[in-house]
Amino acid sequence: MKQLITILFVFLLSSEVQAQEVIPQTYCNPLDIDYTYMVYNSARNISYRSGADPAVIEFRGEYYMFVTRSFGYWHSKDLVNWEFIKPIQWFFEGSNAPTAFNYKDSLVYFAGDPAGYGSILYTDDPKSGKWTPIASISNNIQDSELFIDDDGQAYLYWGSSNVHPIRVKELNRDDRFLETGVRKDLINLVEEKYGWERFGENNFHPTLKEGYMEGASMTKYKGKYYLQYAAPGTQFNVYGDGVYIGETPLGPFTYMKNNPMSFKPGGFTNGAGHGITMKQTNGQFWHFSTMALASNSHWERRLCMFPTYFDEEGLMHSNTDYGDYPRFGANHPTNAGQHSGWMLLSYRGKTTVSSSQMQIRKSTSTDDDYEITEIPLEKNSDGELISMVLTDESPKSFWVAEANDDKQWVEIEMFNPGKIYALQLNFHDHESGIYTRTNGLRHRFTIEVSNDGKSWITVVDRAKSYEDAPNAYITLNQPVMARYVRYKNIEVPGKNLALSEIRIFGTGLGKKPGKVTGFTVKRDEDPRDARLSWNPVKGAQGYNIRWGIAPDKLYSSWLIYEDTSLLMRCLTSDQTYYFSIEAFNENGISERTKTVER
């Protein structure tokens, strides 16, 4: 009898009986890994997780990811599922802005001593965690890139400054990576010409004018050398990676006209800088980079990955469209890394919670300058506590429950029912009291769905999970039709349950928005700046702006919610650009407008 009731309930919930759907592998930025708690501000009792400055390599058909101050590294067979490896030998304070290089599938070389000097390590078995130091001490290996060319010549690129350039020196791979004496200054920021290099959120700061150049990385493609660098600051939404192209590893290098090649200034999680470009075994390139969270500290960061390409001109570019929505996994046969088509069903959904110690919007551009807004507690007509921050598409706003136990829950009523494929749970660190890599952390919870808010069915059960997943991305085995989603807590790291966002992805049942009208673009007297505006579209959640150096090279994008104007300060002063815009909602994406030349 119980089984019959369950079958009938599933039938009602789904609204119609469907054949089993084949769900493709997907991932969602920020990446779902067990980020390490940082030591940076432990003396000030500021506790938070972070992941930044990734160095990702392929070695013997599998993948390894090295991340700043993580006290180890991650291993993957598919670039989607990652498992942490605790090394036997490592730098005492963890690695900082690490560099790694796979030399002819024989050895992995690694450097990243936080002190900026030390030995280069190597291994032929990174899975084991056993590393051997080379008997030499080098300096200037912080924020560095170790690159070994096809002829065996080794180079070290480095630099992290708002004054000094990216530099390179030659090393002798056959003689303990000793320096050969060849050093050269390569590139520096040119903020007066390249708008995206200007310091500050949205490339504006009231007092500081010099951006930071850091995170050098080198990719060789068809005989050319692509020197990548990050600017203007890790805590900003406009943190991105640019490229200079050279004929030799020592240059000279020419600025790539479609810069920045990795850029994600809008949407839920911002930033796509200080990264590395690596090649999958099937030949597909990927750019792994750093996203800004910057709530507890401006060093609070996450990781992302985007598919990367070289066009017929040899211009390098990555696809960041809908960059924090579900994307097809790296092994998808035709659309690896592309937007899956699953839209955000939960935006501005009505949210009630079990209890509330506080609801906060908190961000920082430095570790001493916080902007904090406390949101007063409200109740709905049924006397239930309301949360205004869990469906607002901001990782800097968060809710803190009164406890960390199985009596805490969150319930979201979406504006309309939809077909749910996946969820992303973004837990927040609020006075967690953890300051380093810690074993035994886990997130235990269940997730239920309902059509009427009364009858519920469990679709995710991690009640006994040992997984530590601060940005848990969960794909359902089968999609389910629902209007309500309920998170039920059991246990998470920290003193209290705290969440910044619950994101629900799938396909809506209504109409996608119409085409945008009235789209205008005006370059300012300072041509690095452009003012964009358009008419609101009925039923749109937001808009996605695309731009580039030609109508068929709209390689950059900026996603915004609700607003109908944007001041863009990231352009090159003497470059002509082409712009287009589309509207989107939970049901899909509109047709793009014709390109506007400016």
Side-chain angles (χ1 to χ4, degrees):
M1 183 67 180
K2 183 182 289 187
Q3 185 177 12
L4 178 59
I5 292 172
T6 302
I7 292 171
L8 289 172
F9 177 58
V10 171
F11 174 81
L12 292 172
L13 196 63
S14 302
S15 76
E16 60 181 12
V17 177
Q18 297 180 344
Q20 290 286 301
E21 185 173 347
V22 177
I23 308 299
Q25 184 188 56
T26 56
Y27 72 96
C28 191
N29 294 314
L31 296 183
D32 180 9
I33 65 170
D34 50 338
Y35 294 94
T36 299
Y37 280 91
M38 292 291 103
V39 299
Y40 292 113
N41 288 300
S42 58
R44 305 170 65 191
N45 292 327
I46 301 176
S47 171
Y48 59 93
R49 295 175 187 255
S50 185
D53 319 324
V56 185
I57 60 169
E58 178 270 328
F59 183 68
R60 297 177 182 170
E62 298 181 2
Y63 307 95
Y64 296 87
M65 178 165 64
F66 304 86
V67 180
T68 285
R69 305 273 183 160
S70 293
F71 299 97
Y73 47 94
W74 284 263
H75 163 255
S76 175
K77 293 182 179 181
D78 60 6
L79 292 174
V80 172
N81 298 290
W82 296 90
E83 183 177 353
F84 187 77
I85 295 175
K86 183 178 181 180
I88 297 170
Q89 300 93 349
W90 210 240
F91 300 115
F92 178 73
E93 294 182 355
S95 63
N96 198 68
T99 177
F101 194 87
N102 171 7
Y103 184 67
K104 297 184 177 180
D105 262 6
S106 61
L107 290 174
V108 174
Y109 292 105
F110 175 83
D113 191 322
Y117 61 87
S119 295
I120 292 175
L121 311 180
Y122 69 90
T123 184
D124 63 356
D125 185 12
K127 282 184 189 177
S128 71
K130 296 178 181 179
W131 294 78
T132 302
I134 292 172
S136 65
I137 299 293
S138 182
N139 57 17
N140 292 322
I141 59 173
Q142 194 172 40
D143 260 41
S144 62
E145 166 77 338
L146 178 65
F147 172 73
I148 306 175
D149 207 353
D150 299 331
D151 60 3
Q153 176 61 56
Y155 303 86
L156 193 78
Y157 301 87
W158 83 96
S160 178
S161 173
N162 62 344
V163 177
H164 301 297
I166 296 293
R167 296 180 166 115
V168 64
K169 57 185 173 183
E170 288 188 354
L171 307 177
N172 189 338
R173 186 186 59 83
D174 297 321
D175 190 6
R176 298 180 288 124
F177 284 90
L178 295 175
E179 297 182 28
T180 66
V182 177
R183 289 187 178 217
K184 190 175 182 182
D185 291 354
L186 296 177
I187 60 174
N188 212 335
L189 298 185
V190 189
E191 297 103 320
E192 62 271 16
K193 184 174 182 180
Y194 307 128
W196 77 274
E197 296 179 349
R198 287 181 287 182
F199 194 72
E201 191 80 358
N202 290 320
N203 299 118
F204 174 78
H205 194 282
T207 56
L208 300 177
K209 303 303 178 186
E210 294 81 20
Y212 275 81
M213 171 178 267
E214 56 192 1
S217 179
M218 175 60 75
T219 301
K220 186 177 183 180
Y221 179 76
K222 291 189 176 180
K224 292 189 177 182
Y225 298 85
Y226 292 76
L227 177 59
Q228 296 140 72
Y229 68 100
T234 190
Q235 66 269 47
F236 301 125
N237 68 318
V238 288
Y239 194 45
D241 281 338
V243 177
Y244 278 76
I245 305 174
E247 299 292 334
T248 76
L250 296 175
F253 290 95
T254 301
Y255 186 82
M256 192 174 69
K257 59 185 178 180
N258 62 300
N259 275 331
M261 61 77 57
S262 177
F263 198 55
K264 189 188 176 301
F268 170 63
T269 316
N270 306 141
H274 197 141
I276 190 170
T277 304
M278 55 81 62
K279 186 163 69 171
Q280 194 179 352
T281 54
N282 63 7
Q284 172 65 53
F285 284 90
W286 296 88
H287 192 71
F288 287 78
S289 51
T290 306
M291 309 188 93
L293 203 165
S295 179
N296 289 298
S297 163
H298 77 283
W299 300 111
E300 187 177 20
R301 298 166 290 181
R302 294 293 187 265
L303 302 177
C304 56
M305 76 179 221
F306 299 106
T308 300
Y309 313 93
F310 297 84
D311 69 14
E312 71 285 350
E313 286 187 74
L315 300 177
M316 187 180 191
H317 59 99
S318 59
N319 181 333
T320 64
D321 287 341
Y322 302 92
D324 47 40
Y325 282 40
R327 304 168 78 86
F328 290 120
N331 293 325
H332 194 280
T334 56
N335 294 310
Q338 302 294 316
H339 176 212
S340 66
W342 300 345
M343 305 305 294
L344 184 66
L345 304 177
S346 52
Y347 183 62
R348 298 293 188 192
K350 298 178 182 178
T351 307
T352 54
V353 293
S354 53
S355 64
S356 187
Q357 184 184 98
M358 65 178 68
Q359 296 184 51
I360 296 286
R361 290 191 179 94
K362 177 183 177 184
S363 64
T364 180
S365 58
T366 72
D367 284 338
D368 298 303
D369 183 19
Y370 290 96
E371 294 182 5
I372 301 175
T373 302
E374 186 163 356
I375 300 167
L377 292 181
E378 294 184 41
K379 294 183 178 180
N380 61 20
S381 57
D382 295 325
E384 298 169 314
L385 286 171
I386 296 173
S387 170
M388 305 297 291
V389 301
L390 293 177
T391 58
D392 64 354
E393 282 296 276
S394 171
K396 292 181 171 67
S397 62
F398 58 95
W399 157 74
V400 181
E402 291 283 0
N404 180 10
D405 57 26
D406 59 5
K407 296 180 176 59
Q408 309 307 316
W409 51 264
V410 177
E411 184 178 313
I412 297 173
E413 179 187 358
M414 299 180 291
F415 280 104
N416 296 293
K419 190 176 183 181
I420 300 171
Y421 282 85
L423 305 98
Q424 186 188 55
L425 306 178
N426 295 277
F427 295 91
H428 191 84
D429 287 306
H430 174 70
E431 299 179 359
S432 300
I434 307 172
Y435 303 101
T436 187
R437 185 84 193 175
T438 304
N439 294 328
L441 301 181
R442 57 200 183 194
H443 290 81
R444 292 183 165 181
F445 54 85
T446 61
I447 295 175
E448 303 172 330
V449 298
S450 172
N451 262 338
D452 58 8
K454 298 177 181 178
S455 300
W456 298 85
I457 182 172
T458 299
V459 292
V460 177
D461 187 349
R462 291 195 179 183
K464 297 180 180 180
S465 173
Y466 286 90
E467 192 169 352
D468 181 20
N471 296 89
Y473 174 67
I474 305 162
T475 304
L476 302 185
N477 293 328
Q478 284 293 299
V480 60
M481 295 292 301
R483 182 167 187 166
Y484 297 82
V485 172
R486 183 162 64 194
Y487 167 91
K488 297 180 73 174
N489 189 64
I490 295 173
E491 175 190 5
V492 298
K495 299 174 183 176
N496 297 70
L497 169 65
L499 282 156
S500 64
E501 199 81 10
I502 296 178
R503 309 176 76 212
I504 305 166
F505 296 103
T507 54
L509 306 180
K511 294 182 179 180
K512 63 184 181 182
K515 187 176 179 180
V516 176
T517 62
F519 181 51
T520 62
V521 181
K522 296 180 179 178
R523 299 283 287 267
D524 277 4
E525 183 177 345
D526 182 342
R528 296 173 298 176
D529 303 345
R531 298 177 187 272
L532 291 70
S533 63
W534 55 93
N535 297 326
V537 175
K538 184 178 180 181
Q541 286 179 350
Y543 307 89
N544 188 45
I545 299 156
R546 302 172 189 262
W547 75 97
I549 61 171
D552 61 346
K553 298 181 189 293
L554 306 183
Y555 295 150
S556 297
S557 65
W558 194 317
L559 187 149
I560 63 175
Y561 290 93
E562 300 182 17
D563 290 341
T564 55
S565 63
L566 176 67
L567 172 58
M568 183 184 291
R569 298 168 52 86
C570 56
L571 305 180
T572 296
S573 59
D574 60 355
Q575 175 70 54
T576 297
Y577 288 94
Y578 297 81
F579 302 82
S580 182
I581 190 172
E582 63 201 18
F584 65 88
N585 61 15
E586 69 272 25
N587 307 308
I589 303 169
S590 77
E591 180 186 351
R592 299 182 199 175
T593 63
K594 291 183 179 179
T595 55
V596 175
E597 179 183 351
R598 291 293 182 268

